[in-house]
């Protein structure tokens, strides 16, 4: 596995592999809202421990953190970034939504402050759109700015580990060779 610029056997990856991949491939705005959502869930659990909401927060925390803790402790063979852990992304999104809701609640129910906060949240969440449009149809190769974007991650991490772009690259090479008057690559 290509990790931090070195090829490492999948059974010898550092404990932080999965957590680091989550941090590098999730848009920063979503990570900040995730943190706000986790804080809001802890607050719900502390202030209303027997409520339905506290129970749901506990289940979502288990959904998000158990797989990460399991990988951290047991160190199974893990490779291809988040491929085997895509099922935790909805939990991450739930907490990001809870974080956005908590931030909007702090801003008040109406008025300019609420509107500006909502606009700022939308703006933060839309930041990766430019990169995702540029990467289309290979959005799975997205790395955030903390990883240096795709160009910063290219030689340090597995990017297109499913090799989905290889067909397009081969077609491009064939077209280039034909344009130069050479035979097609087979």
């Amino acid at each position: 596995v290509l990790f931090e610029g070195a090829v490492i056997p999948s059974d010898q990856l550092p404990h932080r592999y999965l957590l680091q991949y989550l941090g590098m491939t999730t848009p920063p705005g979503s990570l900040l809202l995730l943190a706000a959502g986790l804080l809001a869930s802890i607050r719900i659990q502390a202030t209303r421990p027997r409520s339905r909401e506290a129970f749901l927060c506990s289940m979502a925390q288990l959904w998000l953190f158990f797989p990460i803790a399991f990988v951290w402790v047991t160190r199974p063979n893990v490779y291809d970034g988040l491929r085997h852990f895509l099922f935790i992304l909805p939990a991450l999104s739930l907490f990001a939504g809870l974080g956005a809701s908590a931030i909007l609640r702090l801003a008040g129910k109406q008025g300019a402050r609420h509107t500006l906060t909502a606009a700022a949240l939308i703006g933060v969440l839309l930041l990766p759109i430019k990169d995702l449009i540029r990467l289309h149809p290979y959005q799975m190769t997205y790395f955030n700015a903390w990883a240096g974007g795709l160009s910063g991650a290219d030689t340090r991490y597995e990017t297109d580990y499913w090799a989905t772009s290889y067909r397009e690259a081969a077609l491009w090479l064939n077209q280039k060779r034909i344009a130069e008057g050479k035979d097609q690559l087979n």
Side-chain angles (χ1 to χ4, degrees):
V1 176
L2 180 61
F3 186 71
E4 296 180 335
V7 176
I8 303 171
S10 64
D11 62 346
Q12 296 175 20
L13 287 165
H15 292 282
R16 69 182 188 282
Y17 177 81
L18 179 59
L19 198 56
Q20 188 168 330
Y21 251 93
L22 269 171
M24 295 184 307
T25 58
T26 304
S30 297
L31 290 173
L32 294 173
L33 290 175
L34 165 69
L38 287 171
L39 290 173
S41 72
I42 291 167
R43 184 170 184 263
I44 290 168
Q45 291 166 317
T47 58
R48 298 175 285 160
R50 296 192 181 277
S51 69
R52 180 173 181 257
E53 291 82 7
F55 174 76
L56 292 174
C57 287
S58 297
M59 292 298 100
Q61 289 165 352
L62 185 64
W63 179 7
L64 179 63
F65 290 119
F66 180 77
I68 296 169
F70 178 82
V71 168
W72 190 280
V73 172
T74 64
R75 295 186 65 193
N77 282 5
V78 179
Y79 48 88
D80 293 347
L82 299 176
R83 178 177 148 186
H84 302 285
F85 296 92
L86 292 174
F87 64 89
I88 66 174
L89 295 180
L92 187 148
S93 298
L94 282 172
F95 284 111
L98 182 60
S101 175
I103 290 169
L104 284 171
R105 205 171 22 261
L106 286 172
K109 292 188 181 215
Q110 296 178 27
R113 188 170 157 183
H114 179 83
T115 303
L116 286 173
T117 302
L121 288 171
I122 291 168
V124 164
L125 291 173
L126 289 177
L127 285 174
I129 294 293
K130 178 182 147 196
D131 292 327
L132 295 173
I133 289 171
R134 184 178 49 82
L135 292 172
H136 180 75
Y138 309 110
Q139 295 93 329
M140 80 295 267
T141 63
Y142 172 83
F143 279 80
N144 63 33
W146 296 338
L150 181 58
S151 61
D154 182 41
T155 59
R156 299 181 61 225
Y157 300 99
E158 304 274 346
T159 53
D160 189 11
Y161 43 78
W162 283 329
T164 55
S165 64
Y166 284 20
R167 180 179 184 276
E168 184 176 331
L171 291 172
W172 180 83
L173 285 171
N174 280 335
Q175 289 173 350
K176 189 141 181 79
R177 288 186 57 88
I178 291 169
E180 293 173 359
K182 298 177 182 171
D183 288 338
Q184 188 170 338
L185 293 173
N186 292 324

